[in-house]
C-alpha cells in the first residue's frame, strides 16, 4: 500500500483563519517576535498563499533588549523569503516621552511595547494584527477569541466578546477598531514543536541547549547581560541552558537543558510538568499580569 499523507487538522484550521484575514480585512499585519510561534505563523502564511508571496508585512516591536540571536534570525528569514518587515522601536517611544524607562531589580521594557505597538497600528492603519498567542499559554489567553476585537484605544474587554460558532469568523469592525487574530490559538506548545520538527523549520539557536552566562534570582535563571539589572551579590555562572519562550531578555528566563536537537527538545517538552510561561519573568508581577497588559493594548 502506498503512503497516504494524513492532513494536519490544526494546520488546516490555521491556514483557513489566515486566508479569512486576507479576505475580510484591508490592512492586516503579522506580529513577528522571532520566536517559535511567530515563525510557525510565517510558515502557515506561506502555505496559505503559495505560490504567491505573503500579502501582508511583518511588524516587529523591538525593545532594544532582544536577544541578538533572535534579531539575526529575523533579518535572515526576511531576506531569504523576500518578506516586508516593519520595525518600530521602544527606544523611540522613550525618547518621545510617551513611556518611562523602568529602574531597579525587576525593570523591563516588555510592558512598554504596548505604546509602541498601538502607535504603529495607528501609523499604518492596520485593521488586523495576526499574533502567535495560544490558549494553553496563560489563563487570560484562554478567554480570548480567534478574532479578538480591540476598541479605538486598542483596549480589550474580556466581558464583551462576540461568539465564534464553528468556523464562522466575523471580521466586521467599527471605525477605529482593530482585531487581533490568533490562528494557532488551539495549538499547544507541543503542537508547535512537533510542527517545527515535521516541517524542519529553522529557529533561533537559543531554543537549543548552549552555554551561557547566567545568574539565579527567585529560583529562575536570568541572562547575565548589560540590559538585565543584577545585584552585586548575584554571582554570574556559566551553564548549559536553553529558552522555551523568547521575548525581551529582561523578562525571559532560561531552563537548564541538554536538548540540542528538535528531537530532544520535543522529548523534553513531553516530559515537562511546567508551562512555558513559567519561564516568563514578567508574568510573576501579579496573578493578573497578562490580563492587565491585554486590557491596555498588549497583543
Amino acid at each position: 500500500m502506498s503512503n497516504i499523507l494524513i492532513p494536519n487538522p490544526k494546520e488546516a484550521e490555521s491556514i483557513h483563519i489566515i486566508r479569512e484575514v486576507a479576505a475580510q480585512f484591508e490592512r492586516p499585519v503579522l506580529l513577528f517576535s522571532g520566536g517559535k510561534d511567530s515563525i510557525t505563523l510565517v510558515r502557515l502564511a506561506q502555505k496559505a498563499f503559495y505560490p504567491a508571496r505573503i500579502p501582508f508585512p511583518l511588524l516587529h516591536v523591538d525593545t532594544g533588549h532582544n536577544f541578538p540571536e533572535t534579531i539575526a534570525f529575523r533579518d535572515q528569514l526576511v531576506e531569504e523569503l523576500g518578506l516586508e518587515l516593519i520595525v518600530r522601536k521602544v527606544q523611540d517611544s522613550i525618547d518621545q516621552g510617551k513611556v518611562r524607562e523602568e529602574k531597579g531589580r525587576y525593570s523591563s521594557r516588555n510592558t512598554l511595547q504596548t505604546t509602541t505597538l498601538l502607535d504603529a497600528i495607528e501609523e499604518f492603519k492596520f485593521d488586523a494584527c495576526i499574533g502567535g498567542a495560544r490558549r494553553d499559554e496563560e489563563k487570560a489567553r484562554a478567554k480570548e477569541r480567534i478574532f479578538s476585537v480591540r476598541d479605538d484605544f486598542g483596549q480589550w474587554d474580556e466581558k464583551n466578546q462576540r461568539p465564534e460558532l464553528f468556523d464562522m469568523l466575523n471580521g466586521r469592525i467599527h471605525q477605529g477598531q482593530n482585531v487581533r487574530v490568533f490562528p494557532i490559538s488551539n495549538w499547544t506548545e507541543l503542537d508547535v514543536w512537533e510542527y517545527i520538527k515535521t516541517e524542519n523549520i529553522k529557529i533561533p539557536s537559543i531554543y537549543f541547549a548552549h552555554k551561557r552566562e547566567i545568574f539565579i534570582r527567585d529560583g529562575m535563571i536570568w541572562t547575565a547581560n548589560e540590559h538585565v539589572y543584577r545585584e552585586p551579590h548575584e554571582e554570574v555562572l556559566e551553564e548549559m541552558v536553553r529558552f522555551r519562550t523568547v521575548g525581551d531578555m529582561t523578562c525571559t528566563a532560561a531552563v537548564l537543558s541538554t536538548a540540542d536537537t528538535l528531537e530532544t527538545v520535543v522529548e523534553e517538552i513531553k516530559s515537562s510538568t511546567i508551562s512555558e510561561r513559567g519561564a516568563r519573568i514578567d508574568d510573576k508581577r501579579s496573578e493578573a499580569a497578562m490580563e492587565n497588559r491585554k486590557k491596555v493594548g498588549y497583543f
Side-chain angles (χ1 to χ4, degrees):
M1 182 182 294
S2 61
N3 291 331
I4 299 174
L5 182 62
I6 300 175
N8 180 333
K10 289 187 177 178
E11 178 192 63
E13 178 190 51
S14 299
I15 288 174
H16 167 73
I17 292 166
I18 292 170
R19 287 173 175 165
E20 282 294 307
V21 173
Q24 295 192 43
F25 296 94
E26 294 183 5
R27 296 186 64 81
V29 67
L30 193 155
L31 303 178
F32 188 80
S33 67
K36 66 183 185 307
D37 299 313
S38 57
I39 293 168
T40 296
L41 285 179
V42 170
R43 174 57 61 88
L44 291 166
Q46 282 183 284
K47 289 193 171 189
F49 303 108
Y50 183 83
R53 291 174 56 187
I54 297 174
F56 39 73
L58 276 54
L59 171 63
H60 181 213
V61 177
D62 185 354
T63 67
H65 295 169
N66 298 101
F67 291 96
E69 299 96 324
T70 306
I71 298 299
F73 180 89
R74 176 200 72 186
D75 294 342
Q76 180 182 3
L77 180 70
V78 167
E79 182 177 359
E80 285 182 358
L81 301 183
L83 304 175
E84 179 186 355
L85 173 68
I86 298 169
V87 178
R88 287 297 178 267
K89 299 181 178 181
V90 170
Q91 184 63 54
D92 292 336
S93 299
I94 295 171
D95 293 343
Q96 294 162 9
K98 294 181 176 180
V99 294
R100 181 178 298 178
E101 185 88 75
E102 295 182 356
K103 303 293 183 183
R105 187 176 174 85
Y106 298 102
S107 58
S108 173
R109 288 186 173 183
N110 196 51
T111 58
L112 308 186
Q113 294 180 85
T114 298
T115 296
T116 311
L117 171 62
L118 295 178
D119 284 349
I121 291 172
E122 176 62 26
E123 177 185 356
F124 293 97
K125 306 302 180 187
F126 293 131
D127 52 2
C129 299
I130 304 169
R134 308 186 320 272
R135 289 192 175 114
D136 75 321
E137 285 183 275
E138 204 271 345
K139 57 188 178 183
R141 294 293 192 200
K143 298 178 181 180
E144 199 147 27
R145 302 295 188 263
I146 290 173
F147 275 20
S148 181
V149 179
R150 300 299 203 269
D151 65 20
D152 49 3
F153 296 103
Q155 297 177 329
W156 174 66
D157 180 1
E158 79 282 5
K159 296 179 181 179
N160 185 25
Q161 296 188 85
R162 59 182 58 163
E164 286 180 347
L165 306 175
F166 306 104
D167 60 352
M168 297 174 62
L169 300 171
N170 181 2
R172 294 179 182 176
I173 54 176
H174 299 298
Q175 182 71 29
Q177 289 182 326
N178 63 81
V179 170
R180 309 295 166 83
V181 181
F182 304 112
I184 59 171
S185 185
N186 292 326
W187 296 40
T188 65
E189 180 188 13
L190 183 58
D191 288 332
V192 172
W193 278 111
E194 290 184 328
Y195 188 73
I196 288 170
K197 178 176 174 289
T198 300
E199 294 284 312
N200 195 26
I201 300 173
K202 294 179 182 178
I203 54 175
S205 59
I206 58 175
Y207 277 116
F208 300 113
H210 60 286
K211 283 190 175 181
R212 198 177 200 95
E213 288 191 339
I214 58 92
F215 65 95
I216 308 298
R217 177 190 295 159
D218 302 333
M220 304 185 77
I221 301 172
W222 298 59
T223 297
N225 182 278
E226 62 178 329
H227 298 308
V228 182
Y229 180 89
R230 181 172 58 85
E231 300 281 0
H233 69 273
E234 292 175 321
E235 181 184 3
V236 175
L237 309 169
E238 187 176 72
E239 296 286 355
M240 187 70 76
V241 300
R242 75 176 195 86
F243 293 87
R244 285 178 66 180
T245 179
V246 174
D248 186 306
M249 67 175 68
T250 61
C251 68
T252 308
V255 294
L256 295 173
S257 177
T258 58
D260 57 1
T261 65
L262 286 173
E263 289 76 14
T264 53
V265 167
V266 168
E267 290 306 309
E268 185 178 270
I269 296 301
K270 285 181 179 179
S271 62
S272 177
T273 59
I274 301 173
S275 164
E276 67 181 301
R277 295 299 300 194
R280 289 305 291 263
I281 297 163
D282 51 329
D283 285 351
K284 308 302 181 184
R285 295 189 176 203
S286 76
E287 285 292 321
M290 170 66 80
E291 186 157 332
N292 290 337
R293 291 200 303 275
K294 285 164 55 60
K295 285 181 179 179
V296 296
Y298 187 76
F299 90 96

